[in-house]
Amino acid sequence: MTDTGTLKTTVRAPTAPPALGGLGLFTVLLGAALPLIDFFIVNVALPTIGKDLNASEAVLELVVAGYGVAYAVLLVLGGRLGDLFGRRRLFLGGMAAFGLTSLACGLAPTAWTLVAARVAQGAASAAMLPQVLATIQSATSGQRRAKAMGLYGATAGLSMVAGQILGGLLVAADIAGTGWRSVFLVNVPVVVLGLVLARRAVPETRSQRPEPVDAPGTVLLAVALLALLAPLTEGRAAGWPLWTWVSLALFPLAAAAFYLVERRADRHGRTPLVPPSLFELTSLRRGLIMIVPFSIGFSGFMFVIAVALQRGEGLGPVPAGLALAPMAVVFFATSLCGPRLIARFGTRVVTAGGLLQAAGLTLIVLTAWHSWPDLGVVRLLPGAALAGAGQALQLPVLIRIILSEVPGERAGVGSGVMATTQQAALAVGVATLGTLFLSLVPAHGMRDALVTTLLVQLAGVALTTALSLRLPRTIS
């Protein structure tokens, strides 16, 4: 109180938003890489797992599907919880759980124990991954955000290719007699490093207007995704029993019920799990539509090439994995140029990427047709390199487009929606293109089955290229 009786008030400057430094960015990208690597790393280890644990093909499918389904179903919820309780907190908790469940996978005494551990590992991944993009959205801005988004896209694409390469190397190395178990145990020291770095370098961010969990929406989204993904991932190995068709028929009903419940919650002032208003954002809506056929083709290609090289040509896991190394190297190098290309040419970079990927796939088709059964890293190199460059000009840019207009307070749920769409499409790609390929092999042989499946993927690339013309020309 002054002499005149006037009360002095102190005006505080607004608190600056937390900044994500270089070490913090490296740490969250490490957290983004782990779940994607583990989705693919197990593919080349399945034959060894089946032999060691005396597991049937249906149970081996569950080792893959259990992880993928749990991961996809819980991603949006993981994003919402990060908005509510703090993204750094969820990132740390999810990463710690990922390490523990990886250890459980590596020590699993039976096939069913491994399936259970993989489901838990998928749930841990769903808690960790959405926090990565949400943290980047909330703790960076301007050119730094553009660069971070580009690095995230590069990490995502590289992780999917590197997973199979790393899996083959680890199984072949048989470190200390661990065999297939090393593909899971290798996560443990990486997680310990990640936890130490995250506590030091990752800032805490959360929504300024935290929104409670939408229980009805969460349940209905889980039912819809399970109805779609469970039969697609298990149907072929199980022989397409009645339950798979009933489940697929339930999917559109569950999806419609989810949409109606979310719209009603929004209209009555409650907070839906996935706010329908998000889909009013043109960039998000059109980007999600594009990322579906892209991801279906990406994962289907990885699965089909791995099977063709190992079963068709009799290559071991290491040479089969190394055949994709040029794609990984070119993908990473090209994706680093993405921000500069976008600044100059806008989203037409995505169209150019689609054309490059189509050219690469065409070269791979011609090579397979003329050189089978003598494919390998040298013969696949030109097509794989072109396809990798094309994919690198699409995936990182699409991720940036999808999230470009999502408000900061909804960064977690926006990241969860994007990751769920991508993960579900990856699972659908393995199920659909993989089933097509394996069903053609008995009647038409490995070469013709491979060529036919790649031509179907080429049609999908043509679709994404056409859709890219409808993207906003610039990214905000």
Side-chain angles (χ1 to χ4, degrees):
M1 189 76 69
T2 65
D3 294 339
T4 58
T6 303
L7 181 66
K8 283 187 176 179
T9 58
T10 303
V11 179
R12 294 183 180 178
T15 304
L20 183 67
L23 184 60
L25 179 60
F26 170 81
T27 305
V28 294
L29 291 179
L30 179 66
L34 287 172
L36 291 169
I37 287 174
D38 263 60
F39 183 77
F40 289 92
I41 197 172
V42 74
N43 286 345
V44 293
L46 288 177
T48 312
I49 293 173
K51 183 177 179 181
D52 187 37
L53 298 183
N54 194 27
S56 66
E57 184 180 2
V59 176
L60 289 177
E61 289 278 350
L62 278 175
V63 172
V64 178
Y67 175 86
V69 171
Y71 183 26
V73 164
L74 296 172
L75 274 166
V76 177
L77 178 62
R80 171 58 61 80
L81 292 175
D83 287 347
L84 185 61
F85 296 111
R87 291 153 191 152
R88 178 177 178 269
R89 181 180 298 178
L90 261 290
F91 181 80
L92 285 166
M95 181 172 274
F98 185 87
L100 291 173
T101 52
S102 296
L103 181 63
C105 289
L107 299 177
T110 66
W112 284 106
T113 307
L114 178 59
V115 169
R118 283 283 282 174
V119 171
Q121 190 186 36
S125 297
M128 176 170 57
L129 184 70
Q131 319 316 326
V132 175
L133 279 172
T135 299
I136 291 173
Q137 282 282 94
S138 301
T140 61
S141 60
Q143 282 299 112
R144 185 165 182 80
R145 179 183 295 176
K147 182 179 179 181
M149 284 292 187
L151 287 171
Y152 174 88
T155 301
L158 186 64
S159 298
M160 290 187 274
V161 181
Q164 290 189 187
I165 300 173
L166 180 61
L169 291 171
L170 288 172
V171 172
D174 191 22
I175 301 168
T178 54
W180 61 266
R181 298 178 186 275
S182 62
V183 304
F184 301 113
L185 296 176
V186 72
N187 292 330
V188 177
V190 177
V191 164
V192 172
L193 173 65
L195 289 171
V196 172
L197 294 179
R199 291 186 66 86
R200 290 184 54 191
V202 176
E204 180 65 281
T205 64
R206 69 182 72 207
S207 173
Q208 296 300 312
R209 296 192 295 273
E211 300 166 336
V213 173
D214 168 23
T218 301
V219 171
L220 283 171
L221 179 62
V223 169
L225 289 171
L226 283 170
L228 174 67
L229 297 179
L232 286 179
T233 52
E234 275 296 294
R236 183 187 60 82
W240 298 104
L242 178 61
W243 73 264
T244 58
W245 300 107
V246 172
S247 182
L248 287 172
L250 175 64
F251 167 67
L253 301 176
F258 171 71
Y259 173 74
L260 292 173
V261 165
E262 297 298 273
R263 188 176 66 174
R264 180 181 299 172
D266 208 16
R267 286 178 175 175
H268 287 85
R270 297 191 298 272
T271 305
L273 179 69
V274 180
S277 57
L278 272 182
F279 296 95
E280 295 173 5
L281 302 174
T282 302
S283 55
L284 180 137
R285 187 175 64 251
R286 293 181 180 176
L288 287 179
I289 290 172
M290 269 198 69
I291 209 168
V292 169
F294 177 88
S295 298
I296 288 173
F298 198 120
S299 63
F301 172 84
M302 297 295 296
F303 176 81
V304 168
I305 284 291
V307 173
L309 292 177
Q310 291 185 77
R311 295 187 191 175
E313 294 201 13
L315 297 180
V318 174
L322 290 177
L324 297 174
M327 177 180 284
V329 172
V330 174
F331 185 105
F332 186 73
T334 305
S335 62
L336 296 179
C337 302
R340 288 195 299 272
L341 291 172
I342 294 167
R344 184 170 180 181
F345 301 107
T347 58
R348 288 298 174 259
V349 169
V350 181
T351 307
L355 294 174
L356 275 177
Q357 188 185 3
L361 272 177
T362 301
L363 278 178
I364 293 173
V365 167
L366 293 174
T367 302
W369 181 262
H370 290 292
S371 301
W372 186 266
D374 296 315
L375 294 179
V377 64
V378 175
R379 285 190 168 89
L380 286 175
L381 192 151
L386 266 181
Q391 290 164 343
L393 293 178
Q394 294 175 86
L395 181 60
V397 184
L398 283 176
I399 291 172
R400 186 176 162 193
I401 289 169
I402 289 168
L403 297 175
S404 61
E405 296 180 310
V406 176
E409 64 270 13
R410 286 183 166 171
V413 69
S415 302
V417 168
M418 191 282 297
T420 298
T421 304
Q422 183 186 24
Q423 182 61 35
L426 290 173
V428 170
V430 173
T432 54
L433 292 179
T435 297
L436 171 65
F437 172 70
L438 293 173
S439 65
L440 290 173
V441 169
H444 300 281
M446 190 72 72
R447 185 196 70 171
D448 289 357
L450 175 61
V451 167
T452 302
T453 306
L454 291 179
L455 288 174
V456 172
Q457 186 195 352
L458 190 58
V461 173
L463 174 62
T464 59
T465 305
L467 288 171
S468 70
L469 297 174
R470 291 179 50 79
L471 291 172
R473 287 300 299 267
T474 58
I475 305 176
S476 59

